[in-house]
Amino acid sequence: MNAIETKRLTKCFRSITAVDALELSVGSGEFFALLGQNGAGKTTAIRMLSGLLAPTGGDAFIMGNSILTASEAAKACCNLSPQETAVAENLTVKENLVLIARLYGAEKAEADEAAEALLVQMGLKERASSRAKTLSGGMKRRLSIAMALITKPQVLFLDEPTLGLDVRARRELWKMIAALKGKMTLVLTTHYLEEAQALSDRIGIMNKGHLVAVGTAKELCAAAGTDTFEDAFLHFTEEESEGIA
Amino acid sequence: MKRMTAFSVRVAKETLRDPVTLIFGVGLPVALLVLMSIIQRSAPVEIFAISRLAPGMAAFSLAFVAMFAAILLAKDKSTSFLLRVFASPMRPWEYIMGYALPMLPIGAAQCLICFLAALFFGLPFSGRLFLALIALLPAAAVYIAFGLLFGVVLTDKQAAPVSSILVQCAALLGGIWFDPALIGGAFETVCKALPFLHASGAAASAIAGDGTGVLRHVLWLIGWAAVLFAAAVFLFKKKMKDN
């Protein structure tokens, strides 16, 4: 079973079609990167898949659960790390983790245990009792991702996780994200092409609401007839072309 | 229920850990009560008699609950925290109650502190004070609903100034500084239609032992709370869909 399966998934905002009949399959345990320019429809697609936006047409299945008819079950098996840092500023690092675990139904003891383990895993143990508002930008982003991980999602959506971070913090976060590979299905949206190239198994490129190309970085370069992945990206986003399998 | 409780605890912690809560929610009403009581000792004025001032200040302190709820909700929206919560399997009523419920004990505590301060300035201690606290619960619900409405509709930068206007309305139209009947006409009619005067009226009637008065004011407040909550829930659900 694929972790994510979309069937002509569409979202219109008045006269604008943000996502147009998206057909996408992401395998279980796969690391999939979704690229595109601003307004290409990446975030809208992620928001529909994570149950934040109701589609205008089509359907999507998360671990076999329809986002239309079994939205609660679909939500329960995925989690999201939003584009902006999303933490409760006046709660401590540990309280933030416990809160999210509890919102997904964990008992207090179970949530505490999971939070302790994640604090160690994410290098946040020393700041466990610090209020989230006192953390640096990089640490906050790390906490934000840890909050998505605490529910042990089968599918994790990472919406531009390194946006606005300095080079060092970005590199650290890359390492952390790379360590998640194979443990769950990961869907990453990013503007950093090298990030997608280095981390993901397959890459999808969106342009004006359409998925215009899917494949490994090498396959995309070959399909575009370019030497570099950046040139391939520019090729696919300049003019729509048929995707490759 | 478990999810709603966890979310309520978070809302309570975030609110109580913000120093603004203590300064404005408790400090300001108590400071005003003390100041007016001292002035009252030197130059007695009927409206500032402690039996009228104490329920007025208790009702006034509840207006800050609207400010707390509005600021927190608006901030959650601006930081994408709400997005994260929306992505969880929580149901809409669980979010709304999660924001609303912790504000009730916070509001009740504010009123209790106002009454305790008033005891030092001659307010007689009696069981009617507890009745006044209960009579103020519908007023708390009105202000919580105002807060949710503001939080849903406004940005984090707009929430505080707009809530301040509500606080001013609670003070000026709530019969705390002057009796609207003194101005009369359309002003008095508007004051009687709005919930602010009924908030202080419910508590004052309870302290005076006027059961009919309590019922009249409380029914009016329940009506306002129902309308405001319905509007807040509608807009909250709309906001969820629009994300």
Side-chain angles (χ1 to χ4, degrees), chain B residues 173 179-194 197-198:
Chain B
L173 309 178
D179 187 348
L182 291 174
I183 297 175
F187 180 79
E188 188 185 2
T189 309
V190 170
C191 285
K192 283 182 176 170
L194 293 170
L197 188 62
H198 297 283

Side-chain angles (χ1 to χ4, degrees), chain B residues 7-239:
Chain B
F7 193 65
S8 293
V9 169
R10 174 261 161 175
V11 168
K13 279 182 181 171
E14 287 253 32
T15 306
L16 295 172
R17 285 175 184 177
D18 191 340
V20 173
T21 309
L22 291 175
I23 296 166
F24 286 99
V26 178
L28 188 64
V30 170
L32 285 171
L33 189 131
V34 170
L35 185 69
M36 289 303 146
S37 299
I38 292 168
I39 294 172
Q40 172 72 2
R41 278 181 184 169
S42 312
V45 185
E46 156 84 54
I47 192 134
F48 295 145
I50 197 69
S51 59
R52 290 190 63 163
L53 188 64
M57 276 302 151
F60 172 63
S61 71
L62 289 174
F64 291 97
V65 169
M67 187 184 263
F68 306 151
I71 291 173
L72 185 64
L73 182 47
K75 205 168 145 198
D76 282 352
K77 278 189 326 191
S78 74
T79 61
S80 291
F81 183 79
L82 203 56
L83 210 65
R84 158 160 269 150
V85 178
F86 281 169
S88 77
M90 276 178 84
R91 297 189 179 107
W93 70 268
E94 290 177 310
Y95 306 120
I96 295 161
M97 295 314 284
Y99 276 111
L101 284 181
M103 295 297 165
L104 264 183
I106 291 172
Q110 285 175 295
C111 294
L112 182 65
I113 290 168
C114 276
F115 286 139
L116 289 175
L119 291 176
F120 290 99
F121 290 92
L123 183 72
F125 179 78
S126 76
R128 287 176 183 178
L129 289 182
F130 294 104
L131 185 62
L133 280 175
I134 294 165
L136 279 166
L137 288 179
V142 168
Y143 284 114
I144 291 166
F146 265 124
L148 293 180
L149 256 182
F150 291 168
V152 172
V153 174
L154 304 172
T155 66
D156 59 328
K157 287 188 175 66
Q158 296 165 333
V162 173
S163 302
S164 301
I165 295 171
L166 183 79
V167 171
Q168 295 304 323
C169 288
L172 295 173
L173 309 178
I176 300 163
W177 305 130
F178 58 90
D179 187 348
L182 291 174
I183 297 175
F187 180 79
E188 188 185 2
T189 309
V190 170
C191 285
K192 283 182 176 170
L194 293 170
F196 315 115
L197 188 62
H198 297 283
S200 52
S205 299
I207 287 175
D210 174 10
T212 316
V214 172
L215 193 67
R216 184 164 48 86
H217 290 301
V218 161
L219 285 176
W220 199 260
L221 289 166
I222 289 172
W224 264 98
V227 170
L228 289 169
F229 258 107
V233 169
F234 172 76
L235 291 170
F236 201 91
K237 282 185 172 175
K238 193 173 177 301
K239 172 80 198 158

Side-chain angles (χ1 to χ4, degrees), chain A residues 138-156:
Chain A
M139 290 279 263
K140 266 189 196 175
R141 201 60 67 87
R142 213 186 296 176
L143 171 61
S144 192
I145 294 176
M147 286 163 76
L149 288 173
I150 194 152
T151 61
K152 298 186 177 73
Q154 290 165 282
V155 179
L156 176 62

Side-chain angles (χ1 to χ4, degrees), chain A residues 47 50 52-54 72 75-76 80-82 84-92 95-96 99-100 102-107 131 144-145 147-148, chain B residues 2-7 9-10 13-15 17-19 75-76 78-91 95 240-243:
Chain A
R47 287 189 176 190
S50 54
L52 291 168
L53 261 182
E72 211 170 307
K75 278 179 165 190
L80 161 84
S81 178
E84 299 92 21
T85 303
V87 301
E89 299 269 327
N90 274 325
L91 295 192
T92 66
E95 284 171 342
N96 265 289
L99 168 69
I100 299 299
R102 301 270 286 148
L103 294 189
Y104 280 75
E107 295 297 337
R131 299 248 178 117
S144 192
I145 294 176
M147 286 163 76
Chain B
K2 195 165 60 180
R3 295 184 295 216
M4 189 194 73
T5 310
F7 193 65
V9 169
R10 174 261 161 175
K13 279 182 181 171
E14 287 253 32
T15 306
R17 285 175 184 177
D18 191 340
K75 205 168 145 198
D76 282 352
S78 74
T79 61
S80 291
F81 183 79
L82 203 56
L83 210 65
R84 158 160 269 150
V85 178
F86 281 169
S88 77
M90 276 178 84
R91 297 189 179 107
Y95 306 120
M240 279 182 77
K241 280 185 188 161
D242 291 347
N243 261 305

Side-chain angles (χ1 to χ4, degrees), chain A residues 161-162 170 174 188-190 192-200:
Chain A
T162 57
R170 199 192 312 160
W174 278 17
L188 167 83
T189 73
T190 181
Y192 300 110
L193 302 184
E194 71 275 25
E195 189 169 287
Q197 210 176 346
L199 296 171
S200 59

Side-chain angles (χ1 to χ4, degrees), chain A residues 20-136:
Chain A
D20 195 1
L22 179 69
E23 295 275 356
L24 174 70
S25 299
V26 179
S28 201
E30 188 179 359
F31 194 139
F32 188 83
L34 202 52
L35 302 183
Q37 298 172 115
N38 287 335
K42 311 182 294 288
T43 296
T44 304
I46 294 280
R47 287 189 176 190
M48 282 192 283
L49 293 173
S50 54
L52 291 168
L53 261 182
T56 314
D59 198 356
F61 300 86
I62 308 290
M63 304 306 294
N65 303 298
S66 160
I67 59 166
L68 294 178
T69 57
S71 65
E72 211 170 307
K75 278 179 165 190
C77 57
C78 66
N79 208 329
L80 161 84
S81 178
Q83 213 169 77
E84 299 92 21
T85 303
V87 301
E89 299 269 327
N90 274 325
L91 295 192
T92 66
V93 169
K94 189 179 172 186
E95 284 171 342
N96 265 289
L97 293 172
V98 171
L99 168 69
I100 299 299
R102 301 270 286 148
L103 294 189
Y104 280 75
E107 295 297 337
K108 178 97 178 58
E110 191 189 341
D112 267 336
E113 199 181 314
E116 284 295 340
L118 212 53
L119 284 168
V120 175
Q121 187 191 329
M122 304 290 278
L124 291 164
K125 181 72 182 162
E126 280 178 21
R127 303 298 302 272
S129 307
S130 305
R131 299 248 178 117
K133 64 181 175 187
T134 65
L135 301 179
S136 66

Side-chain angles (χ1 to χ4, degrees), chain A residues 193-209:
Chain A
L193 302 184
E194 71 275 25
E195 189 169 287
Q197 210 176 346
L199 296 171
S200 59
D201 298 317
R202 279 193 311 149
I203 299 167
I205 298 177
M206 286 190 78
N207 192 31
K208 295 174 186 163

